[in-house]
Amino acid sequence: MRLACERQRRDLARKDWQYRFDVDAAERVCQFIELLPHVKGEKASRRELIALEDWQCFFLTTVFGWLDRYGYRRYKTAYVEVPRKNAKSTISSGVALYMLAADGEAGAEVYSAATTKEQARIVFGDARQMVIRSPELRQGAAVQASMHAVFQSSSGSTFKALSRDQDGNLDGLNVHCGIVDELHAHKDRGVWDVLVTATGARRQPLLWAITTAGFNRAGICYEQRSYVTKILDRVTEDDCYFGSIWTIDDDDDPFDPASWAKANPNWGVSVMPESIERNARVALQMASAQNNFLTRHLNIWVNADTSWMNMTAWEAVSDPDLEDSSFEGEPCIVACDLATRTDIASVMRLFTRKIDGVTHYYAFGRHYLPEGAAEDGRSSHYAGWAKEGRMVLTPGQVTDFSYIEDEIKDTARRFRVTDAAFDPWQAAQIMQRLQADGLPVLEYRQTVQNMSAPMKELEALVLSGRFHHDGDPVLTWMVSNVVCHTDAKGNVYPRKEQLQNKIDGVVALIMALGRALVREDTGDYVDEMVLGI
């Protein structure tokens, strides 16, 4: 939020720029929304009108106040991430009605879009009730409401709820405004991409997304969030994309009451302190409730309903400037999880260095997938990772293991490979060929006994800052997918909750760390006989 405010201040100070800030345009949308009635809760029963808070005025005036030299809006996309109960749906309903009736667009098509009918009708339903309860809106702006549409006959404009499960094919739209409530709940990018392409014929369309944090770091919501952070950090420049994120800072204690107001801008207005305190007490006592508390009330992205890795700590040990070339000629442990030939296979390389007498670990990964699997619409993020060089797409419908074999041979030429570890399932042929070429190939069976100690150690290394990675987004996604299963003896094992949540890179990393622990002979790990060598 500080960066979003700094961005606005910088822009206001710019001279001879292609955009100008129009105070009348900025205030007009706020004035319109404050003529609308509350439709839920005590304020609705008292027939009160909406009174915008300062933080709401900030993003509304910023999005609507900037115009280009032709008088059209600068911002075409707005992403606001804020915890629940901060009046997200109320403001979105007001924006939808403004874009329908007061934006001066003939034949405006406004949609509340979601993957399910129920989610899409939340914003639409609130807007419809606003029209029904507002004689001024019906008479002054000639806005009418039916069961399935809000419309303005004079301009030929309509507002409808739109969902993938209800409407099937969403092509053929001419969108002036797309409202996306709770983008984090979208399981794929289909609805978002349809809205983006459907705004192409409009001069000043607006794609409006307000959401809380979620779990899926490979989804469209986290993709947009990451893009926003790059814009605000001035890594990426996009003058037409507005973004702001309300959450706590990395070093804040999520269970300290002083942190709660920071993440909730409507603190004491629609977010009641006693409610947050009650939910925090439950989360402290029940591990299963902690992630729900973090995402919904503090806007913290977590990895799964039952988490393993502290993702804040994982991101803290990320170093985008870290390159494997700085380890040329040094000892290297290679571990490979081949999975199946129709799924992701991962190769991890692990290096160690002593810093002040303490061992630090450095990991680099490469991931492989057949082109046929990458073309599956449910896995659109794979293609993006392939463009970044993080994932190799092999021709055909099955993974060509020769690519992996060549990768390992190239690693052996560049580094001193001490171990090349494979789970023998699916790996017999590639292990034989690499062994024939003189590589130190060995079996590493993925049993609970072999995985538990290095999995625990990996978590401890990350938390202590002794593990380092280059920010590989594929590996980060996989780490976020890992659910920690604990047996009666306290052993842990990596699992995934859903089939599409891949963890192959993490499994390979645990195998590599297991071999490193054997070599260091720490005394708290199994001997080599257990590994099946």
Side-chain angles (χ1 to χ4, degrees), residues 217 303 307-316 459 462-463 479:
R217 290 172 176 260
N303 51 316
S307 61
W308 168 55
M309 181 63 71
N310 181 323
M311 294 308 296
T312 300
W314 175 263
E315 292 174 357
E459 182 181 15
V462 170
L463 292 174
V479 169

Side-chain angles (χ1 to χ4, degrees), residues 72-88:
Y72 295 107
R73 258 190 311 277
R74 161 192 172 183
Y75 287 113
K76 305 301 188 295
T77 306
Y79 177 94
V80 178
E81 192 177 290
V82 66
R84 69 191 305 264
K85 298 300 181 182
N86 282 276
K88 298 189 303 297

Side-chain angles (χ1 to χ4, degrees), residues 46-87:
R46 295 195 297 264
R47 299 182 180 275
E48 292 186 23
L49 298 180
I50 294 172
L52 295 172
E53 299 296 318
D54 289 346
W55 72 279
Q56 296 165 331
C57 292
F58 166 71
F59 70 75
L60 286 168
T61 55
T62 303
V63 170
F64 285 87
W66 284 101
L67 308 178
D68 66 16
R69 63 191 58 168
Y70 303 106
Y72 295 107
R73 258 190 311 277
R74 161 192 172 183
Y75 287 113
K76 305 301 188 295
T77 306
Y79 177 94
V80 178
E81 192 177 290
V82 66
R84 69 191 305 264
K85 298 300 181 182
N86 282 276

Side-chain angles (χ1 to χ4, degrees), residues 303 306-309 314 444 447-463 467 478-479 481-486 490-496 503 506-507 509-515 517 524-525:
N303 51 316
T306 303
S307 61
W308 168 55
M309 181 63 71
W314 175 263
Y444 193 113
T447 64
V448 172
Q449 190 176 13
N450 289 343
M451 301 294 280
S452 180
M455 183 174 175
K456 290 179 179 178
E457 182 67 10
L458 178 57
E459 182 181 15
L461 290 170
V462 170
L463 292 174
F467 180 86
M478 290 178 175
V479 169
N481 289 334
V482 174
V483 174
C484 179
H485 174 74
T486 305
N491 295 312
V492 297
Y493 195 84
R495 289 186 177 177
K496 56 187 178 184
I503 63 172
V506 181
V507 171
L509 178 57
I510 292 172
M511 293 167 59
L513 183 57
R515 285 304 305 161
L517 293 176
D524 58 358
Y525 191 57

